[in-house]
Amino acid sequence: MTSPRLDAQMAFLTEAEKLRTILRATPIGDGSRQENSGEHSWHIALYALILAEHAPEGVSIDRVIRMLLIHDIVEIDAGDVPIYLQSADTQSDTEAAELEAAKRIFGLLPDDQAADMLALWQEFEAAESPDAVFAKSLDRFQPPNLNLVNGGGSWKTYNVTFDELDRRVGKPVRRGAPTLWNWIAPKIRAVLR
Amino acid sequence: MTSPRLDAQMAFLTEAEKLRTILRATPIGDGSRQENSGEHSWHIALYALILAEHAPEGVSIDRVIRMLLIHDIVEIDAGDVPIYLQSADTQSDTEAAELEAAKRIFGLLPDDQAADMLALWQEFEAAESPDAVFAKSLDRFQPPNLNLVNGGGSWKTYNVTFDELDRRVGKPVRRGAPTLWNWIAPKIRAVLR
């Protein structure tokens, strides 16, 4: 059976699979290796499912899950920039590379789906809608939870202080999910200067 | 802030993370290593999102995605049994081990969520509801797509013939998503005896 539409969908799904070859700064829980962006996407989608009750009123958890499933796909072309290496100097280059990547990769899909997925990714990146703000907060909340069990992980790699973590991680987590920040902050304070 | 409910949710999410240490029979697309069950769960949730239009009428894609996010968590305790090693002789032992695992792992959650997640997992396993039938078909449809790009993968490992694949994989894919089976069957036939 020939189906150009299904061919395009499968070309996207086969390309997307490469996301698991992109390594992140945070080690997995047992500390044995770095987390990859594919399994990270699964883990935070599961965060969304389980922590739904901590989202602000009006957030659609199913939309948040959809957003989290695709939020990192641009890294196949653009790579992952560890949060502790992000700076105002390089931000516009990173954003341009990620937009290029989004257009190429989502562009493998049939036109209607390509437009839908690009819009969903741009909504996540803009971090303005309630769904995107909550999704971003989960994306920032998961790595410290890993570092608390893996022995310090990326905090050690980048000599992170509590103040720096508060600025880069605490702020977005508080914005979308203050309950989650209040829960984890004392645990981080106990191990970071 | 103390919150026994959030403590329980986070204990579950931190335990669930171990799913990515469980290796499956199928190699990832570039053939460099075996796929793990965490990233597999992400990839097939993405399949559900993108292939939604190929689901039978009445299927809720968001429920399918939720199901796929949790469908393999039992493997943390019970391991993954490659489909080409599954047999009627060992099936009841596997099922018993998986039910034990589901009770322990979902049991880390607050009681209401533990019951919800156990029910969702049991619905998937029973493969009777339209959502579960479609979810199962995606779980079976993804590995052949990987083997088509990774150079034969688990088909080589287990000397799989087309007839055996048709019985173990074709049947459940056809049941939940005949369009997807019709699309992939000739591609598999071209490489398997």
Side-chain angles (χ1 to χ4, degrees):
Chain A
M1 194 190 66
T2 59
S3 164
R5 187 168 171 87
L6 185 49
D7 287 347
Q9 292 167 331
M10 293 311 302
F12 169 79
L13 288 168
T14 297
E15 182 67 16
E17 181 262 346
K18 295 176 183 166
L19 184 57
R20 54 183 151 195
T21 67
I22 305 298
L23 299 183
R24 295 167 46 83
T26 318
I28 66 172
D30 68 9
S32 61
R33 61 169 176 83
Q34 286 167 267
E35 176 178 54
N36 75 57
S37 293
E39 62 196 8
H40 163 76
S41 299
W42 162 73
H43 199 208
I44 61 176
L46 191 63
Y47 267 57
L49 177 57
I50 298 301
L51 301 176
E53 70 200 53
H54 307 289
E57 186 115 7
V59 165
S60 160
I61 285 300
D62 289 315
R63 280 195 85 241
V64 169
I65 291 173
R66 288 170 176 236
M67 215 175 256
L68 292 174
L69 291 176
I70 62 142
H71 82 292
D72 269 347
I73 282 178
V74 296
E75 294 181 0
I76 292 169
D77 289 355
D80 177 61
V81 182
I83 192 166
Y84 298 109
L85 295 182
Q86 292 171 16
S87 74
D89 292 348
T90 56
Q91 194 179 346
S92 71
D93 285 356
T94 303
E95 284 174 4
E98 289 185 346
L99 181 59
E100 242 357 81
K103 287 179 181 168
R104 183 189 76 77
I105 302 168
F106 295 129
L108 295 170
L109 287 165
D111 288 349
D112 59 321
Q113 286 188 305
D116 286 352
M117 291 299 129
L118 184 63
L120 193 64
W121 176 78
Q122 287 179 313
E123 179 181 337
F124 173 80
E125 283 297 304
E128 286 165 6
S129 73
D131 292 352
V133 170
F134 187 64
K136 281 269 178 190
S137 73
L138 296 180
D139 191 29
R140 294 289 180 248
F141 178 59
Q142 181 249 19
N145 279 287
L146 283 179
N147 280 344
L148 285 172
V149 296
N150 68 24
S154 55
W155 296 335
K156 284 187 178 167
T157 311
Y158 297 108
N159 285 309
V160 178
T161 62
F162 185 86
D163 285 351
E164 188 181 3
L165 180 140
D166 189 53
R167 185 167 57 83
R168 294 186 187 261
V169 174
K171 194 176 162 189
V173 176
R174 272 195 298 278
R175 185 174 171 221
T179 312
L180 301 182
W181 179 250
N182 292 339
W183 179 85
I184 202 171
K187 294 174 176 61
I188 300 173
R189 245 184 219 289
V191 295
L192 281 193
R193 277 168 306 118
Chain B
M1 193 189 67
T2 58
S3 164
R5 186 168 171 87
L6 185 48
D7 288 347
Q9 291 167 332
M10 294 311 302
F12 168 79
L13 288 168
T14 296
E15 182 68 17
E17 182 263 346
K18 296 176 183 166
L19 184 58
R20 53 184 151 194
T21 67
I22 304 299
L23 299 183
R24 294 166 46 83
T26 318
I28 66 171
D30 68 10
S32 62
R33 62 170 176 82
Q34 285 167 268
E35 177 178 55
N36 74 57
S37 294
E39 61 196 9
H40 163 76
S41 299
W42 163 72
H43 199 208
I44 61 175
L46 192 62
Y47 267 57
L49 178 57
I50 298 301
L51 301 176
E53 69 200 52
H54 306 291
E57 186 113 7
V59 166
S60 160
I61 286 299
D62 289 314
R63 279 195 87 240
V64 169
I65 291 172
R66 289 169 175 235
M67 216 174 257
L68 292 174
L69 290 175
I70 62 141
H71 82 294
D72 269 347
I73 284 178
V74 294
E75 294 181 0
I76 293 168
D77 288 355
D80 176 61
V81 183
I83 191 167
Y84 298 109
L85 294 182
Q86 291 172 16
S87 73
D89 292 348
T90 56
Q91 196 180 344
S92 71
D93 284 355
T94 303
E95 284 174 6
E98 289 184 347
L99 181 59
E100 238 1 78
K103 287 179 181 168
R104 182 190 75 79
I105 302 168
F106 296 130
L108 295 170
L109 287 165
D111 289 349
D112 59 322
Q113 286 188 306
D116 286 352
M117 291 298 128
L118 183 64
L120 192 64
W121 176 78
Q122 288 179 312
E123 179 182 337
F124 173 81
E125 284 297 306
E128 285 165 5
S129 75
D131 292 352
V133 170
F134 187 64
K136 281 268 179 192
S137 73
L138 296 180
D139 191 29
R140 294 289 180 246
F141 178 58
Q142 180 249 18
N145 278 287
L146 284 179
N147 280 345
L148 284 172
V149 296
N150 68 23
S154 55
W155 297 335
K156 284 186 177 167
T157 312
Y158 296 108
N159 285 310
V160 178
T161 61
F162 186 85
D163 284 352
E164 187 180 3
L165 180 139
D166 189 55
R167 184 166 58 83
R168 294 187 187 260
V169 174
K171 194 177 162 190
V173 177
R174 272 195 299 278
R175 185 174 171 221
T179 311
L180 301 182
W181 178 251
N182 291 339
W183 179 84
I184 202 171
K187 294 174 175 60
I188 300 173
R189 244 184 221 287
V191 296
L192 280 194
R193 276 168 308 117

